[in-house]
Amino acid sequence: MATAEIDPLLFLRQAIAAGTSVVPTATDAADAPETPLPQARFLQFAGAAGDRTPVPVDAPTRFVSNDAPVDLRSIYFAWLNREVAIHEYNAAATRLNEELATVSSPATVHKFAFVERLDLITWLEGASEESEYIKAAGGPGATGAAGSAAGAKTASGAAAPLSRSGRGALIDPRLAVIYSGERRTGDHNTVLRGIKPTDFSHVRKLAVPFMSKKQHGGAGAVVPALDGKKPSASLPLNPKGGPARRPDPIILLSPSASSLLRMSNIKSFLENGRYTPSDSSSTATMHFLTHTMKDIDPARPLRFILVEGTEHFKPDYWNRVVAVFTTGQAWQFKSYKWNTPAELFKHVQGIYVGWRGEPVPQGVKDWGHRVLNCHIDKWTDPGVPGADVNRFRDREVAENIWRAIEHNMRQKGWKRDSGAAII
């Protein structure tokens, strides 16, 4: 198969879903032995019939970072290191770049930002059908997710399922051939403005003086909007030219060993309303969960990202932080954008979770009403009779936490199609 007919990103996702092997090799020969990634020039995708499809490791993919396509080697390396912490992944990428330099290769491995890496892994493992970093195959109007070749084979040897838009449900390649002969019809937006919605707010501002003179005989008068409301200075501009995408809110956890809710048990507590002890052997550095905020978007659940550290935060990530779990220790906030409790909890909802019957730490008391105090019943071994008597109250605590987060998000201006308007 010609390299131009192959979608490397889709090939890798299909190989992961099918459980087939992906072998780095130095040549594109079908019997080439496996070689370490620094010396590899191809990734060979095994098919169901025992054949292999080679793809160059430096082939560009549809994943775009900083307006540049990311190569297949970087995508594959990020998948291999999906379970490690972000700082360990960056260290491994640095070592691989050094090894590439020793073999006189000009290539380097792209280091993904925190949210980019999360989005990529989520898409590759099939947990999400869309990503803001992955371009539609073939551009707007493309008929196949694997390119224009309708009969391209996947890593498993079967015909590649294609997508009309590059996202969403995959379709049979024979249907893609039929769709390619369709006569495209458009609505008034596509007829007047083309395939990309265009922002014309600048025209409105230019027209205001002329309309004022015509209606009121002088300059400086404000033209009311058609609905009688005061006109805004400009319409919201989407720089990508497409529909606005609501950002995923972020919840920060306390890295303290004394915290009752850690990465190993926070997801089950917030999703199921039941506390279990944290597992100190857990190496997870991030989770994502969905929860419906009825006063923000009752029809579509919000996806929340849960993390402990902020080492690799970009400045705009702080606009998405909606809650911070704390144990009352101020050292937790040293690396934060707002590194004092008084300043932090002006912007973000604070949450403290402690044992029922035990005193609240003095630090939490001093921070006032901006930190929600929650108490759960002490953990008892399930083998002890009556251990689950009071565990039903965990759900009430979890619901109180979600109500506080939702209240804070509404105050900050979160809406069903946009993030915070007030930081």
Side-chain angles (χ1 to χ4, degrees), residues 224-231:
L226 294 178
D227 57 2
K229 297 180 180 179
K230 183 179 179 180

Side-chain angles (χ1 to χ4, degrees), residues 133-370:
Y133 301 101
I134 298 177
K135 286 188 175 180
T143 60
S148 60
K153 292 184 178 179
T154 66
S156 62
L162 305 177
S163 171
R164 299 180 69 182
S165 62
R167 292 182 179 179
L170 300 177
I171 63 173
D172 190 275
R174 290 170 295 181
L175 290 177
V177 175
I178 297 172
Y179 289 143
S180 65
E182 284 184 337
R183 180 179 178 182
R184 302 290 179 179
T185 59
D187 55 17
H188 69 284
N189 285 326
T190 57
V191 171
L192 296 176
R193 305 182 181 183
I195 58 175
K196 283 190 175 181
T198 306
D199 180 75
F200 289 106
S201 59
H202 65 286
V203 177
R204 184 179 187 178
K205 289 187 289 185
L206 292 173
V208 166
F210 298 99
M211 297 298 293
S212 300
K213 291 178 181 179
K214 182 176 180 180
Q215 295 184 7
H216 303 288
V222 178
V223 178
L226 294 178
D227 57 2
K229 297 180 180 179
K230 183 179 179 180
S232 58
S234 64
L235 298 177
L237 173 63
N238 180 12
K240 293 186 177 181
R245 184 180 186 272
R246 181 178 62 200
D248 296 331
I250 299 173
I251 297 177
L252 285 173
L253 306 183
S254 171
S256 173
S258 63
S259 178
L260 300 186
L261 296 176
R262 303 289 303 276
M263 290 300 297
S264 59
N265 63 350
I266 182 65
K267 186 175 179 181
S268 61
F269 181 78
L270 292 180
E271 282 186 335
N272 306 322
R274 187 174 181 85
Y275 174 80
T276 55
S278 61
D279 183 3
S280 59
S281 63
S282 175
T283 59
T285 58
M286 58 186 170
H287 286 306
F288 63 90
L289 59 84
T290 57
H291 187 81
T292 301
M293 298 294 197
K294 294 182 180 180
D295 290 340
I296 296 176
D297 188 352
R300 184 175 51 149
L302 279 80
R303 186 176 75 162
F304 290 81
I305 301 174
L306 284 71
V307 293
E308 282 186 353
T310 62
E311 295 86 355
H312 302 281
F313 261 41
K314 291 183 179 179
D316 61 305
Y317 291 176
W318 287 103
N319 302 347
R320 299 159 56 180
V321 176
V322 296
V324 172
F325 281 79
T326 179
T327 58
Q329 298 166 302
W331 59 262
Q332 173 186 346
F333 317 128
K334 287 184 178 180
S335 63
Y336 288 11
K337 176 182 178 180
W338 306 290
N339 54 20
T340 63
E343 183 67 17
L344 172 66
F345 296 123
K346 287 181 181 178
H347 302 274
V348 182
Q349 174 66 52
I351 300 170
Y352 166 77
V353 179
W355 294 127
R356 196 180 306 277
E358 292 190 356
V360 177
Q362 187 59 43
V364 176
K365 291 181 180 179
D366 294 341
W367 299 338
H369 69 281
R370 297 184 183 274

Side-chain angles (χ1 to χ4, degrees), residues 293 295-296 319 321-322 344-350 369-371 402-415 418-423:
M293 298 294 197
D295 290 340
I296 296 176
N319 302 347
V321 176
V322 296
L344 172 66
F345 296 123
K346 287 181 181 178
H347 302 274
V348 182
Q349 174 66 52
H369 69 281
R370 297 184 183 274
V371 178
W402 281 122
R403 279 195 292 269
I405 293 175
E406 182 175 13
H407 176 73
N408 180 263
M409 291 177 67
R410 284 192 289 106
Q411 286 188 324
K412 298 300 181 183
W414 283 78
K415 297 180 180 179
S418 61
I422 304 173
I423 306 303

